[in-house]
Amino acid sequence: EVDITGATEPFVKHSYLVKEASDLPRIFKEAFYIAASGRPGPVLIDIPLDVQEEKVFFSYPETVSIRGYCPTFHGHPGQLKRAIRRLQMAERPLVCVGGGVLAAGAEKELRQFIEKARIPLVHTFMGIGAFPTESPYSLGMIGSHGHYAANRAVSKADVVLFIGARIADRATGGNPHFAKNADIIHVDIDPAEIGKNIGALIPVVGDAKEVLRIFAEKTNPLQIEEWQVKCKEWKEKTPYPEPTESKINPKYAIRRLSKILDSDAVVVADVGQNQMWAARHFEIKGERKFFSSGGLGTMGYSLPAAIGTKIGAPEKNVVAVVGDGGFQMSLPELGTLQQTKVKLIILLFNNQRLGMVREIQDRRYQAPFGVYLDKNPDFIKLAEAYGLAGRQVSTYEELEETFIEALDSKTTFLIECIVDEKESTL
């Protein structure tokens, strides 16, 4: 027998090995509570075959009480006062938000705080969607694949307020001098994350929604006009992607898609260059959402995740952004699309490469590559074989027309964009 609970220990928040069927009602109640409270995470319930075959009187508990598990939702009043006081004294303050803001459903409170305090904001990769990109306070994403203005602001800030962010190496870009000039205020519901990757002058353990509500209530507008002007100058240095003469510029394609999609659309990004093209150039506004597998590197994620998203929100337009490598790792999901009659838009960037790996190999080794995909199938014919619609585009006139056609389609529509094999991530 495989030790399932042991094998999954690094990936789950908690696990149960059920020994008595009579414990199942309590375990179900506790599992859902643990999964959804504090820092959300998966809970494994391993039910052996002999327990599965037992009969049990099922009565679902109304309350839950777990000894030793008591997440902190409200930040310590003293620490909150210290954090607000340090922010008010700052000359070059910056807010950095991560996925914890989204997990807490704190987007509204974040926007109220930022617009009242008038502090520039950056986000980690997992923080995409927490704040509208069109806001004058938004500087973009930090990290090795981040925006120039965002990384520049972190390097020059004298106070950085991190909210719901782990500040892992993808966010720091591996820079040993990350935020070296700044006093760090770190807000997170999981105390284990505070100080783990970067030291914090003022740690605040608490729920992002509750803490941001207090920040919005207690913080006064900051007089930091010179800093705001400097951040705006950095932001204006970020070039807008332009059409290329041959083949499709994927960055420009994502920008154009952003202009066409409605304000509650959902983009689900795969892994590789396509993930970063989408992360950097899909505009967050209104009720839009951006989903990804983060740094897990799970190629093939976007198609099944987009199907689940559409089933959960059938009224929204859902777009799966994927490369030719990742798409071929989840081809059987085309059958799921036909079976469920779910309608998606699949934006496939075909550069006949595992582009990000090719880019890294080219930069570090200048040697023959093992990531060429020169023998790709005809993706449009594959889609049609499953009864789906599709079109290959290689010009910008075709791109615009096909976006509209895909939105009007009654079935899933595959848009295959032919991309230069040497197209860069940034």
Side-chain angles (χ1 to χ4, degrees), residues 125-126 128 170 267-270 275 290-295 298 301:
F125 177 74
M126 294 304 292
I128 297 173
R170 185 177 245 198
V267 162
V268 183
D270 208 83
Q275 186 188 65
F290 180 89
F291 295 148
S292 80
S293 59
T298 48
Y301 159 88

Side-chain angles (χ1 to χ4, degrees), residues 45-324:
I45 303 176
D46 184 6
I47 308 177
L49 185 60
D50 59 333
V51 176
Q52 294 179 35
E53 293 177 344
E54 287 185 40
K55 290 185 177 181
V56 61
F57 174 75
F58 190 89
S59 177
Y60 201 57
E62 294 184 2
T63 60
V64 59
S65 177
I66 305 172
R67 186 173 60 183
Y69 181 71
C70 186
T72 301
F73 291 96
H74 304 284
H76 188 280
Q79 294 298 86
L80 289 170
K81 286 181 180 178
R82 287 184 63 204
I84 293 169
R85 189 183 310 120
R86 184 64 189 93
L87 274 176
Q88 297 282 181
M89 294 171 55
E91 296 179 359
R92 301 182 304 281
L94 188 67
V95 173
C96 178
V97 298
V101 171
L102 293 163
E107 298 95 317
K108 178 182 176 183
E109 289 76 11
L110 173 65
R111 188 164 186 171
Q112 289 173 343
F113 166 55
I114 294 298
E115 291 180 350
K116 180 182 178 184
R118 301 192 298 232
I119 302 176
L121 176 142
V122 299
H123 60 78
T124 67
F125 177 74
M126 294 304 292
I128 297 173
F131 195 75
T133 52
E134 61 192 5
S135 168
Y137 301 107
S138 175
L139 301 180
M141 181 173 68
I142 62 172
S144 52
H145 292 107
H147 294 90
Y148 170 78
N151 286 328
R152 190 72 174 162
V154 170
S155 70
K156 297 297 183 181
D158 63 352
V159 175
V160 180
L161 167 60
F162 290 99
I163 307 173
R166 295 186 301 121
I167 326 171
D169 58 352
R170 185 177 245 198
T172 65
N175 182 1
H177 304 295
F178 179 79
K180 68 174 182 178
N181 299 313
D183 289 339
I184 304 299
I185 305 169
H186 196 171
V187 177
D188 204 289
I189 198 165
D190 185 354
E193 294 297 339
I194 297 178
K196 185 172 75 173
N197 295 316
I198 189 170
L201 175 69
I202 305 174
V204 180
V205 179
D207 179 69
K209 189 179 183 77
E210 176 65 16
V211 171
L212 279 166
R213 183 188 64 80
I214 294 173
F215 279 159
E217 179 183 322
K218 302 292 185 181
T219 305
N220 296 317
L222 274 65
Q223 305 304 314
I224 50 171
E225 288 76 9
E226 186 176 336
W227 172 241
Q228 291 167 341
V229 169
K230 180 59 69 175
C231 288
K232 183 180 178 182
E233 290 175 359
W234 291 330
K235 188 174 181 179
E236 289 172 349
K237 288 183 179 180
T238 302
Y240 190 93
E242 298 291 340
T244 48
E245 292 185 6
S246 63
K247 301 185 179 180
I248 298 294
N249 179 350
K251 305 154 195 172
Y252 179 79
I254 294 290
R255 288 279 183 167
R256 291 306 305 154
L257 181 66
S258 285
K259 299 298 183 186
I260 294 171
L261 286 174
D262 42 29
S263 60
D264 67 345
V266 182
V267 162
V268 183
D270 208 83
V271 169
Q273 286 182 310
N274 66 87
Q275 186 188 65
M276 289 304 155
W277 292 331
R280 287 173 56 87
H281 299 289
F282 180 63
E283 298 174 1
I284 298 298
K285 61 181 181 180
E287 299 298 319
R288 285 182 176 179
K289 300 294 182 184
F290 180 89
F291 295 148
S292 80
S293 59
L296 289 177
T298 48
M299 292 178 66
Y301 159 88
S302 62
L303 192 51
I307 293 171
T309 301
K310 185 67 176 181
I311 290 172
E315 75 286 358
K316 297 183 185 294
N317 284 314
V318 179
V319 182
V321 178
V322 64
D324 48 323

